[in-house]
Amino acid sequence: MTDWRAVLYGFITGVVVGLAAFALPVVGHVGSGLVAGIVAGYLAGGGILSGAWHGLLAGALGGLVLAVLFTIAGTALGLAVGGPVGGFLGGAGVFVVAVAIAVVAALDSALGGAVGGFVAG
């Protein structure tokens, strides 16, 4: 059974740390996914598999929210600079990169969740 409270706390942690992660583009996002997973896995408990599941959910949700937010920002900036075509290209480009980041966040959150679930027992 999924502990949605643990997923929510992991999600919030992932979003907060993920926003700060843009200072260190690759390392920061991997780290934010790990931290989100550890929080979700630890709070969910239940061992390695339960922690990995909860970490995966928290990382996926956090990554998707960041992807949507930055896509909106990229579209708005593209519209302001390049008109409708610039808005489409800016939004689409940011979306592709953001989805790749979301996948990485989900995978390393699952790893972090496994560690958190193991520590929690």
Side-chain angles (χ1 to χ4, degrees), residues 27-51:
V27 178
H29 286 90
V30 171
S32 70
L34 284 171
V35 171
I38 289 171
V39 168
Y42 183 79
L43 290 175
I48 294 173
L49 291 177
S50 174

Side-chain angles (χ1 to χ4, degrees), residues 2-117:
T2 301
D3 181 356
W4 289 105
R5 180 187 59 87
V7 172
L8 178 66
Y9 283 135
F11 163 75
I12 292 170
T13 303
V15 169
V16 170
V17 176
L19 287 172
F22 279 93
L24 298 168
V26 175
V27 178
H29 286 90
V30 171
S32 70
L34 284 171
V35 171
I38 289 171
V39 168
Y42 183 79
L43 290 175
I48 294 173
L49 291 177
S50 174
W53 171 248
H54 288 86
L56 179 72
L57 288 175
L61 288 174
L64 289 175
V65 166
L66 286 174
V68 168
L69 290 176
F70 284 103
T71 299
I72 292 169
T75 301
L77 183 62
L79 275 170
V81 174
V85 174
F88 173 74
L89 293 177
V94 170
F95 182 73
V96 169
V97 172
V99 167
I101 292 170
V103 169
V104 170
L107 293 177
D108 67 349
S109 288
L111 178 63
V115 170

